[in-house]
Amino acid sequence: MINSGVTTAKEAGLALCHDCHKLVPATGKSALGTCPRCGAAIHLRKPNSLNRSWALVLAALILYFPANFLPIMLVDFMGSPDLSTIMDGIIYFFQEGSYGIGAVILTASILVPCFKIICLILILLSIHFRWRSWLRHKTILFRIIEFIGRWSMLDIFVIALLHVLVNFEGLTTITAAPAAPYFVGVVLCTMFAAITFDPRLLWDA
Amino acid sequence: MEKPVHKKKRGISPIWILPIVALIIGGWLIYKSYRDAGINIVVHFASAEGITPGKTKVVYKGIPIGIVSDIQVDPGIDSVSLLLKMDRQSKKGLVEDTKFWVVKPEVSAGRVSGLDTLLSGSYIEVQRGTSKKFCKLFTGLTESPPVPPGAPGLHIKLTAEDLGSIQRNSLIYHKNIPVGSVQNYKLNENGKGVTIDIHIEEKYTYLIKTKTRFWNSSGINFKGGLSGFKIHMESLAALIYGGISLQTPKYQSLSPAAENGRIFPLYDDFDEAKFGLKMTLQLPSAHGIIAETTQVLNRGFKAGVVTDITFDEDKQTVTAHINIDPRAESILREGTRFWVVKPQISVNRVRHLDTLLKGVYIAYEPGDGIYKDYFVAQKAPIVDQLLPAGKIFTLRSKDSKSFAIGAPILYRNFKVGEIIGFDLDTDGQNISSQILIYEKYVSLVKKNSVFWKSGGLKIDAGLDGVSIESGTITTLLTGGISFTTPSNPKNRESKGPGDHSFKVYKSFQSAIENVPILQTKGLQVQIKATDAKDFSVGSPILYKHIEVGKITGFALEDQGDNVLIDVLIKKKYAHLLKTSSIFHNVSGITVTGGISGLELKTSSLKSILAGGIAFFTPDPGDAAASGQQYILYASRQAAQEIDKKLITIQFAGSQGLKQGIKVRYQGIAIGSIQKVEFTAAMDAVVCRAMIKKQAAKLFTADTVVWLVSPEVSLSGINNLDTILSGTYINLRPGIGGPVSELVALNAPPALESTAHGLNIVLESDQLGSLKKGSPLYYRQIKIGRVTGAQLSPTAQKVLIHVNIAPPYQKLVYCNSKFWNGSGINVKAGIFSGVKITTESLEAIIAGGLCMVTPEGDAMGPRALPKQRYKLHKEAKKGWLNWQPALTTN
């Protein structure tokens, strides 16, 4: 345990309900029972957080490769199908001069998942090996990951929208290609990893 | 302080399933990509036209099995190398003799191929080889390879003297359906002739028998001569690409099916393919006989064709080499006789007229005996045509004009027999001729049958007129005899052959005159005329241009100088004649003309030549009785004008005025101008118009008359009808006593009179774009129109006269508001967009008025005729919200 000069709830014998954020005593009869207010199970730390986060991050890491190397979108124009990976789309936009859109997709679809996975691994490793430096920065990093997680679905939204909008049977259709479920898997895994991870463990370590 | 309980978790959390699953998927994907990883091969092509790296597919039997990953120009820069990424499963097919070629869209007269590539782009097609040796380097073909010898279908060879226009992929046709194609061709090793490999599609292999004939159907086959010409052509595609047609002669359709590799001869053309049995015919002369054209015919059946004519060694005769249709093989017998048929034209006989058009042909009469293929032609036809069955009758006539052997006997212009011979009677007075009536028609000839000559075109001209008569074209050429059998119930007996002789009259006319039973009965009436110069006995009486009777005689009136014309109306038309019928002369041709049209009136041809009388019945009346007397009018117009009144109309100018132009009231013609002349002072034009009596009362002292002619202006075209129908005189009736002299206005009256509806007056400062005819809208429904505009007496205002149509006149109240709805109202704003308001398209061009009526008591009493209103420039606020409940009826 490190002494950061702050008394933690745990040290004070208190636990926070994860659902309604009520502070309940972590000792005595009610110790780690259920929340008297909302009935949720009370834990001092999110249970099994490290394990789950690791599993999810590793899953995301594995899925990241098919998500990026397999084609994500199938554009069928007049009977001639054209498969494109995420990177193909980005290159297309840059070639067309739409740097803004290209940058947004590059950020949301490639950089952000990559960033999330790397950061989560970094944070998890730092807990694992009890690297106690830069704890505050790592926390900020985690907050960023949590925040940007919801934007990673941009690509999927674009494909879903195009699929519905561009559906002229026989002329042009756009459908999701094999990479789409892997991409969803990456985003979901990183998001769940961020949710299951308890940042307090950084300080506990 | 109690220590929190620490629960140690044992084992692996189930969440680890997730990365394991991800790993499995990842592993499977890697395995799959390894498994499916393509085989890179290189194919050299002369050109990479239409090929896009990463897009162009390699297709085998319609399934993509690879993709062009890259294109490189070969070091020699005379070809390109395509890097193909082939599916792993295609490995087995990548053998030494596997062929690659580019499929591009081709649309041309003969073929539409690779149409799918129009949209999907070109692709590379693969044909799998038979070798077992794996290969990664190929050379592409420039076009699709021939069908491999092992492919289903029939592979046969044709031998020909030369290739003609046949090329690879030329189609093989059967009844113009492509059944196969030319795969390859090569010069025979000895340099003589070519061998063509063809492939027949599997589904058509049954067509190929051992006796099937193939011929080159490329191009147009044209053969001609005096005896006509012949064009033979297969499909247009065959014309361009060359083609081969095939057919199995019917009589050999049972020959066994052909096997692969069989060699057939390829004939040069259709006729040669029908190559039949050879025979020779020795002829005294080759006159008229053309090789390859002259036919051997019997009863219209083409048994063969002369292929060649050679001069015999004895220099006295020629020999015709004839190909006989195998179906006609039976004629090659000892007893068969051949002769040449040539046209024969003599004064009274035309024979073999067909040969004039068809050319000379060789006829034969089959005989019996042993097989023989050398014949000597007979010099003349051996037998004449046999007479059909029938009965022979005798006719007597004064001369033999229009008689000829073979000339037809006509009954209602239908050939029922023919003349078989004629001779001078022993006493030298008459000609008796034998006619044959065909068996089927014998019953038409009875004891009372009347015969007359119908030969040629008969024109009997004399003082009593001209009569033209002709039978069928055949009788026009060869003459003939017609007959009729009057229906006589008392005598139904048909006479036996040859035991009754009939007199032949020189014409139908004379037959009618002499045989009372042929004369028609009908209604006898008299027509009184001033003279009879146009008519003759027999002149037709016409009703609606149909001949319903004729003039039978003339007589002078007992006292006075009129002529009484006796007229016979045929019985079946007698009901058309009423006591009120009016007769008029239709003799000759009547031409009335002017700029407004040329009218040429004639009745029948006969009435032009022989004069005629027509009648019409203006009012139904009692049926005419026999002996009724009528008056003859000089023309239909004169006949019609007996109930018309003369009105003279004076015009200041005469533009467009001429004889014949109509006087109309409400669009209906009530009369026409008969004569245009100057007044005594020569300063005006006076028109004499004949007006129908019942319309004459429209002409009163204050009747307004004017000339209507077409007007074309920006705001519209008025009186468009007059462009076609010509100008006419319009009138507005007045009140007062009838007059017979009027002075016309120079222009249409400014104020149009409208008898119906409500007439009101709007006051405005300016007339704007309003004009006569501009509509008045109520809720954008047209309820009235502007009938005219004039300045107010003090010239301070414009008075616009508006007529409200009768169904809408109850919409107008004293406090109704009027405004100018002309033009377009455009309002534009950033948020509201552009709003364009117009009453109607018509209102944009022609101007328009709008009207509203206030609600409730504010509307005031009903509008009175000539009520005055102010014309507002635009609708005031709130007007458009008025919703008065008004009834229009």
Side-chain angles (χ1 to χ4, degrees):
Chain A
M1 293 243 185
I2 57 146
N3 191 353
S4 57
V6 177
T7 309
T8 62
K10 193 179 173 185
E11 285 163 2
L14 291 169
L16 190 69
C17 171
H18 290 299
D19 285 359
C20 67
H21 291 201
K22 182 178 168 63
L23 209 55
V24 291
T27 51
K29 278 187 179 175
S30 67
L32 301 176
T34 53
C35 172
R37 186 159 69 184
C38 69
I42 300 288
H43 309 286
L44 274 171
R45 295 289 178 264
K46 285 182 184 171
N48 222 358
S49 171
L50 273 182
N51 244 338
R52 289 181 187 178
S53 297
W54 265 119
L56 287 163
V57 167
L58 286 180
L61 181 66
I62 294 164
L63 292 174
Y64 184 77
F65 293 97
N68 277 291
F69 292 121
L70 288 180
I72 194 156
M73 194 162 75
L74 174 72
V75 181
D76 197 320
F77 178 69
M78 306 285 262
S80 61
D82 191 8
L83 289 159
S84 54
T85 61
I86 295 171
M87 209 58 206
D88 289 338
I90 294 161
I91 291 166
Y92 170 79
F93 279 117
F94 274 103
Q95 279 174 348
E96 291 292 303
S98 306
Y99 301 106
I101 299 173
V104 166
I105 296 178
L106 179 67
T107 313
S109 306
I110 297 197
L111 298 185
V112 166
C114 187
F115 173 76
K116 277 162 73 178
I117 291 166
I118 291 170
C119 289
L120 279 168
I121 289 173
L122 181 75
I123 290 167
L124 288 169
L125 284 175
S126 86
I127 294 170
H128 211 79
F129 296 109
R130 298 173 187 251
W131 298 332
R132 293 183 189 168
S133 51
W134 301 96
L135 281 180
R136 269 196 184 234
H137 292 94
K138 285 172 191 166
T139 318
I140 292 167
L141 214 55
F142 179 72
R143 285 192 196 128
I144 294 170
I145 290 166
E146 245 190 335
F147 176 76
I148 59 174
R150 64 200 73 165
W151 295 101
S152 312
M153 279 296 198
L154 190 74
D155 234 46
I156 298 300
F157 286 142
V158 169
I159 295 166
L161 266 178
L162 287 176
H163 178 67
V164 177
L165 292 176
V166 187
N167 188 5
F168 311 109
E169 207 56 65
L171 280 177
T172 310
T173 50
I174 293 180
T175 41
Y182 301 119
F183 190 82
V184 173
V186 172
V187 176
L188 284 180
C189 284
T190 52
M191 280 172 80
F192 281 121
I195 290 167
T196 52
F197 180 70
D198 199 331
R200 287 173 293 192
L201 291 170
L202 277 170
W203 309 97
D204 290 346
Chain B
M1 194 166 99
E2 274 183 60
K3 280 273 176 190
V5 183
H6 287 268
K7 291 179 182 169
K8 281 281 173 191
K9 285 263 177 188
R10 294 275 170 203
I12 299 163
S13 164
I15 198 76
W16 282 100
I17 291 170
L18 209 60
I20 290 165
V21 167
L23 260 180
I24 291 168
I25 292 171
W28 179 69
L29 284 174
I30 290 166
Y31 164 71
K32 190 164 163 267
S33 65
Y34 165 75
R35 197 192 64 187
D36 295 347
I39 303 160
N40 289 314
I41 58 166
V42 177
V43 182
H44 293 286
F45 276 102
S47 134
E49 190 191 334
I51 291 170
T52 319
K55 283 260 164 64
T56 306
K57 293 191 170 54
V58 183
V59 171
Y60 176 66
K61 289 185 189 291
I63 303 161
I65 56 161
I67 198 160
V68 176
S69 54
D70 200 7
I71 302 177
Q72 285 164 0
V73 179
D74 287 343
I77 325 190
D78 56 352
S79 65
V80 291
S81 291
L82 301 189
L83 253 62
L84 305 189
K85 201 175 192 179
M86 303 296 288
D87 289 354
R88 185 156 285 269
Q89 62 195 22
S90 68
K91 190 176 177 181
K92 276 184 190 166
L94 300 173
V95 289
E96 269 181 337
D97 55 349
T98 296
K99 295 182 174 76
F100 293 81
W101 69 96
V102 179
V103 179
K104 290 175 197 161
E106 187 189 351
V107 181
S108 56
R111 266 166 267 170
V112 175
S113 69
L115 202 61
D116 50 337
T117 60
L118 271 183
L119 295 176
S120 60
S122 303
Y123 57 85
I124 294 169
E125 177 106 45
V126 183
Q127 188 189 3
R128 196 173 158 168
T130 49
S131 161
K132 300 276 177 206
K133 202 176 166 195
F134 179 70
C135 183
K136 288 181 92 168
L137 197 67
F138 300 91
T139 301
L141 304 175
T142 48
E143 57 182 359
S144 57
V147 175
L154 195 61
H155 301 268
I156 48 178
K157 291 177 196 299
L158 302 178
T159 54
E161 278 300 305
D162 62 57
L163 192 61
S165 60
I166 289 165
Q167 45 186 290
R168 281 180 59 185
N169 291 333
S170 288
L171 295 174
I172 317 292
Y173 295 93
H174 177 64
K175 296 183 190 294
N176 268 337
I177 296 171
V179 297
S181 57
V182 172
Q183 294 303 324
N184 214 343
Y185 50 82
K186 62 169 188 283
L187 202 64
N188 286 346
E189 279 161 15
N190 57 11
K192 283 181 184 172
V194 289
T195 302
I196 301 161
D197 294 333
I198 66 170
H199 171 245
I200 303 293
E201 286 173 42
E202 195 178 8
K203 58 180 171 180
Y204 295 119
T205 50
Y206 70 91
L207 293 172
I208 316 300
K209 311 282 188 191
T210 51
K211 298 288 185 189
T212 297
R213 283 160 191 190
F214 294 83
W215 68 92
N216 190 334
S217 57
S218 315
I220 301 176
N221 191 341
F222 186 92
K223 240 177 224 175
L226 175 66
S227 61
F229 58 87
K230 191 156 87 175
I231 297 177
H232 191 88
M233 189 179 121
E234 297 289 320
S235 69
L236 193 62
L239 179 66
I240 295 163
Y241 285 106
I244 292 171
S245 292
L246 66 90
Q247 197 167 19
T248 308
K250 274 211 179 72
Y251 58 92
Q252 274 166 340
S253 58
L254 293 173
S255 57
E259 70 281 8
N260 264 341
R262 192 180 175 89
I263 298 172
F264 291 88
L266 176 66
Y267 295 104
D268 275 347
D269 59 26
F270 179 72
D271 277 341
E272 205 188 320
K274 283 197 168 171
F275 203 83
L277 303 161
K278 280 181 181 170
M279 64 160 267
T280 54
L281 180 66
Q282 197 184 348
L283 296 162
S285 99
H287 185 74
I289 293 179
I290 302 164
E292 306 231 337
T293 308
T294 302
Q295 298 175 339
V296 179
L297 292 172
N298 184 22
R299 295 173 198 276
F301 170 75
K302 183 184 167 186
V305 66
V306 174
T307 53
D308 197 11
I309 301 167
T310 53
F311 202 50
D312 288 341
E313 284 168 4
D314 60 5
K315 300 186 179 10
Q316 294 293 316
T317 53
V318 292
T319 298
H321 298 266
I322 296 168
N323 278 327
I324 293 294
D325 189 321
R327 288 174 292 176
E329 194 198 333
S330 62
I331 68 167
L332 299 178
R333 294 287 180 271
E334 181 86 53
T336 303
R337 287 177 293 181
F338 292 86
W339 67 92
V340 178
V341 179
K342 291 176 181 173
Q344 278 187 4
I345 301 169
S346 56
V347 177
N348 64 353
R349 206 166 160 86
V350 178
R351 279 175 59 90
H352 311 302
L353 200 61
D354 52 338
T355 57
L356 269 185
L357 301 170
K358 263 194 335 197
V360 168
Y361 62 89
I362 295 167
Y364 66 88
E365 194 185 67
D368 295 323
I370 53 159
Y371 181 86
K372 185 185 174 189
D373 60 2
Y374 175 76
F375 296 90
V376 178
Q378 313 285 325
K379 282 197 175 176
I382 296 149
V383 286
D384 223 329
Q385 203 184 347
L386 279 173
L387 289 174
K391 275 186 182 176
I392 294 168
F393 297 88
T394 309
L395 303 182
R396 278 176 295 106
S397 57
K398 288 282 178 206
D399 60 50
S400 65
K401 203 173 82 189
S402 91
F403 280 13
I405 288 176
I409 308 297
L410 304 166
Y411 183 78
R412 296 181 192 278
N413 270 342
F414 183 79
K415 188 180 174 186
V416 297
E418 60 190 79
I419 297 175
I420 53 172
F422 52 92
D423 203 3
L424 199 67
D425 275 0
T426 43
D427 58 1
Q429 292 295 311
N430 282 318
I431 304 280
S432 33
S433 44
Q434 274 76 47
I435 59 163
L436 176 83
I437 303 293
Y438 303 142
E439 187 83 62
K440 207 169 143 187
Y441 306 112
V442 167
S443 61
L444 294 173
V445 183
K446 297 197 177 131
K447 199 175 179 181
N448 59 350
S449 293
V450 181
F451 289 79
W452 66 91
K453 291 179 190 174
S454 62
L457 185 72
K458 199 158 282 174
I459 302 175
D460 287 334
L463 280 175
D464 61 342
V466 181
S467 124
I468 300 173
E469 201 183 304
S470 90
T472 62
I473 292 291
T474 330
T475 61
L476 206 61
L477 290 170
T478 63
I481 291 175
S482 295
F483 76 95
T484 186
T485 305
S487 57
N488 189 347
K490 287 174 195 164
N491 189 355
R492 288 183 174 274
E493 195 192 345
S494 174
K495 286 291 171 182
D499 64 349
H500 190 273
S501 61
F502 298 91
K503 181 173 163 47
V504 181
Y505 294 97
K506 67 171 179 175
S507 70
F508 184 50
Q509 207 66 36
S510 89
I512 289 171
E513 278 164 23
N514 293 297
V515 183
I517 202 160
L518 291 178
Q519 286 165 9
T520 47
K521 292 188 175 62
L523 188 65
Q524 197 85 37
V525 293
Q526 276 191 320
I527 300 170
K528 197 153 80 174
T530 49
D531 65 52
K533 72 169 162 44
D534 288 333
F535 314 114
S536 58
V537 172
S539 295
I541 307 298
L542 304 166
Y543 180 75
K544 294 182 191 289
H545 293 270
I546 291 168
E547 191 177 330
V548 296
K550 59 174 71 173
I551 293 171
T552 55
F554 300 97
L556 271 176
E557 215 177 10
D558 290 345
Q559 60 261 50
D561 44 18
N562 283 333
V563 179
L564 288 176
I565 303 166
D566 289 323
V567 167
L568 178 75
I569 306 292
K570 286 180 194 167
K571 211 170 183 177
K572 67 174 187 181
Y573 297 119
H575 66 278
L576 298 170
L577 192 65
K578 309 283 183 196
T579 50
S580 61
S581 296
I582 294 166
F583 284 82
H584 58 89
N585 191 345
V586 289
S587 305
I589 304 171
T590 315
V591 182
T592 40
I595 296 173
S596 67
L598 184 74
E599 198 178 13
L600 186 123
K601 263 190 201 157
T602 73
S603 285
S604 65
L605 184 68
K606 198 173 172 187
S607 71
I608 295 173
L609 295 168
I613 293 173
F615 73 87
F616 64 94
T617 308
D619 316 298
D622 302 325
S626 193
Q628 179 112 17
Q629 226 177 50
Y630 294 93
I631 292 164
L632 182 70
Y633 293 93
S635 66
R636 189 181 174 104
Q637 209 170 2
Q640 279 169 331
E641 276 166 9
I642 54 167
D643 57 345
K644 284 185 178 168
K645 188 188 171 187
L646 179 75
I647 306 271
T648 44
I649 305 165
Q650 189 175 328
F651 284 90
S654 70
Q655 201 174 16
L657 280 174
K658 59 184 171 296
Q659 191 184 336
I661 72 170
K662 296 274 188 288
V663 180
R664 291 174 192 267
Y665 175 59
Q666 308 275 44
I668 294 165
I670 55 166
S672 61
I673 289 182
Q674 297 296 307
K675 205 169 183 187
V676 182
E677 56 194 13
F678 286 110
T679 54
M682 302 293 277
D683 57 352
V685 178
V686 171
C687 295
R688 291 177 191 280
M690 294 301 286
I691 305 296
K692 284 183 185 166
K693 256 186 187 146
Q694 66 261 39
K697 60 175 177 280
L698 294 169
F699 292 86
T700 60
D702 53 353
T703 294
V704 180
V705 180
W706 70 95
L707 190 70
V708 180
S709 39
E711 268 174 44
V712 180
S713 67
L714 183 65
S715 61
I717 300 171
N718 285 337
N719 311 327
L720 191 63
D721 52 335
T722 58
I723 290 176
L724 293 175
S725 66
T727 53
Y728 63 91
I729 292 168
N730 206 350
L731 71 103
R732 191 173 78 198
I735 1 170
V739 292
S740 60
E741 281 180 28
L742 284 166
V743 176
L745 296 178
N746 285 334
L751 286 184
E752 206 181 312
S753 146
T754 39
H756 305 289
L758 178 70
N759 291 307
I760 54 167
V761 180
L762 304 180
E763 292 176 7
S764 171
D765 294 339
Q766 301 287 336
L767 183 59
S769 61
L770 293 172
K771 51 190 281 296
K772 211 161 104 179
S774 292
L776 170 66
Y777 296 102
Y778 181 73
R779 300 185 182 279
Q780 293 187 339
I781 288 174
K782 188 177 168 183
I783 60 162
R785 61 196 176 91
V786 173
T787 54
Q790 63 185 98
L791 285 174
S792 66
T794 55
Q796 286 171 310
K797 298 258 180 203
V798 179
L799 300 181
I800 300 161
H801 295 261
V802 174
N803 171 258
I804 313 283
Y808 302 113
Q809 65 190 58
K810 289 177 183 173
L811 297 174
V812 188
Y813 283 79
C814 280
N815 291 333
S816 292
K817 301 293 180 192
F818 292 82
W819 73 93
N820 195 333
S822 310
I824 312 173
N825 189 359
V826 182
K827 274 184 197 164
I830 295 172
F831 297 105
S832 59
V834 180
K835 187 177 160 192
I836 300 174
T837 324
T838 172
E839 288 299 314
S840 74
L841 191 62
E842 193 187 348
I844 297 175
I845 297 162
L849 296 167
C850 302
M851 187 203 88
V852 288
T853 297
E855 291 167 340
D857 295 337
M859 65 173 74
R862 276 269 169 78
L864 298 169
K866 301 285 171 199
Q867 176 119 18
R868 290 203 175 197
Y869 293 92
K870 180 174 162 50
L871 179 66
H872 297 269
K873 284 212 172 84
E874 54 189 25
K876 294 250 165 66
K877 250 186 189 171
W879 286 4
L880 292 175
N881 298 331
W882 290 342
Q883 298 276 351
L886 302 169
T887 48
T888 51
N889 45 24

